[in-house]
Amino acid sequence: MDADEIDWNRTLREQWEHHWNHQLRERLDGLTDDEYFWSPVPDAWSVRPRGTSTAPVQVGAGDFTMDYAIPEPVPAAFTTIAWRLGHVIVGVLAARNASHFGAPAASYDSWEYAGTAAAALDQLEAQVAVWTAGVLALDEAELRVPVGAKEPYPDSPMADLVLHIHRELIHHLSEVCLLRDLYLHTTNGATR
């Protein structure tokens, strides 16, 4: 088989779907609120009830906000599972789903962050479903079209964005799994 015969859409999707279906999704089952909000270090950024954060900036439209700073501190703040899921749900998926696949507009400022682990996983599942359906609908020509001004690299083809988003998902959600392992081993699995 030569490169012209490869189903590039399937290949791109498989990179993410294999990880999600066989390595990651099951590891998120049973995520508790204690794990979701657990901070292994002082002053970790998180998702917090509105008005309770001491971060330089709090973003969000609902009862919970996400800690933030502009410019980002050096070194970067350590972040909780709640923060990492918020980043993946909004910055990695929802904003891209809105820009490229017709989903409602989404930004860190306008998002209603989840106040429970279950609600965050529901948001994640919903955004993953929109992203996956959007990528599935792309044909070979659409994978080659430049992403445009919606993205930092407007001349890059959509296939590059798909690969980037998949790398981001695998990276950050693997961090979530690692934090779950750390929680289990440092709190004696109190809630798992």
Side-chain angles (χ1 to χ4, degrees):
M1 174 183 297
D2 66 35
D4 291 333
E5 296 175 16
I6 294 174
D7 180 346
W8 287 107
N9 184 290
R10 183 197 57 77
T11 300
L12 292 171
R13 281 183 294 109
E14 194 172 82
Q15 177 198 35
W16 162 245
E17 289 174 343
H18 178 81
H19 188 74
W20 177 249
N21 292 328
H22 301 289
Q23 298 171 333
L24 203 140
R25 181 59 191 98
E26 195 173 284
R27 296 266 332 265
L28 299 175
D29 286 344
L31 180 69
T32 67
D33 291 347
D34 287 342
E35 291 171 289
Y36 181 64
F37 290 115
W38 178 63
S39 178
V41 300
D43 301 318
W45 283 1
S46 192
V47 169
R48 305 175 195 284
R50 182 170 294 285
T52 64
S53 175
T54 59
V57 176
Q58 299 89 51
V59 294
D63 293 336
F64 287 81
T65 61
M66 190 166 87
D67 298 338
Y68 207 73
I70 300 171
E72 185 176 321
V74 177
F78 193 87
T79 58
T80 65
I81 289 173
W83 193 97
R84 290 166 199 246
L85 286 177
H87 169 64
V88 166
I89 292 163
V90 180
V92 176
L93 289 171
R96 272 31 185 270
N97 288 338
S99 293
H100 301 285
F101 301 128
S107 71
Y108 288 118
D109 288 326
S110 68
W111 195 259
E112 291 195 23
Y113 293 93
T116 66
L121 292 178
D122 287 346
Q123 288 181 348
L124 177 63
E125 291 268 2
Q127 293 304 318
V128 164
V130 172
W131 173 259
T132 303
V135 172
L136 177 62
L138 297 171
D139 63 25
E140 298 290 321
E142 290 168 316
L143 288 169
R144 291 184 178 91
V145 171
V147 292
K150 303 168 198 166
E151 298 294 337
Y153 301 99
D155 295 329
S156 295
M158 186 65 176
D160 283 0
L161 178 65
V162 171
L163 287 169
H164 171 69
I165 296 304
H166 292 173
R167 286 189 303 264
E168 285 285 294
L169 291 170
I170 292 166
H171 168 81
H172 290 301
L173 294 174
S174 294
E175 291 174 330
V176 168
C177 293
L178 179 62
L179 280 172
R180 289 196 79 192
D181 292 342
L182 185 62
Y183 178 87
L184 177 66
H185 289 282
T186 60
T187 65
N188 297 317
T191 61
R192 263 175 84 188

